[in-house]
Amino acid sequence: MASLAGLEGIALPSFSSEMPAEDARALRNYLYQLTEQLSYVLTNIDRENCSEEFLERMNGEGA
């Protein structure tokens, strides 16, 4: 299973005061959704979700 340890250090960015609040809110919501989706994918990846070619490469057997 993939490790989520590195995701803890990812923080949402700060935006300048010149950016409209509505745009900053929309961007922050979008980034939050991407983070949630990435966490889900990394939590649920296993051998059943990988091709044989990929598994061989990860085991050092592929070219």
Side-chain angles (χ1 to χ4, degrees):
M1 178 145 343
S3 172
L4 296 175
L7 290 179
E8 293 176 10
I10 297 175
L12 293 174
S14 298
F15 303 108
S16 74
S17 59
E18 296 174 14
M19 178 181 259
E22 184 176 332
D23 291 346
R25 188 171 22 263
L27 185 54
R28 189 172 280 118
N29 287 341
Y30 176 71
L31 292 172
Y32 178 77
Q33 289 174 16
L34 288 178
T35 303
E36 289 295 309
Q37 290 173 9
L38 180 60
S39 288
Y40 176 82
V41 168
L42 293 177
T43 300
N44 291 292
I45 199 165
D46 58 13
R47 294 184 66 83
E48 293 177 8
N49 297 325
C50 299
S51 68
E52 287 300 319
E53 177 186 0
F54 176 76
L55 292 173
E56 289 172 4
R57 284 184 177 189
M58 294 307 295
N59 289 327
E61 300 168 10

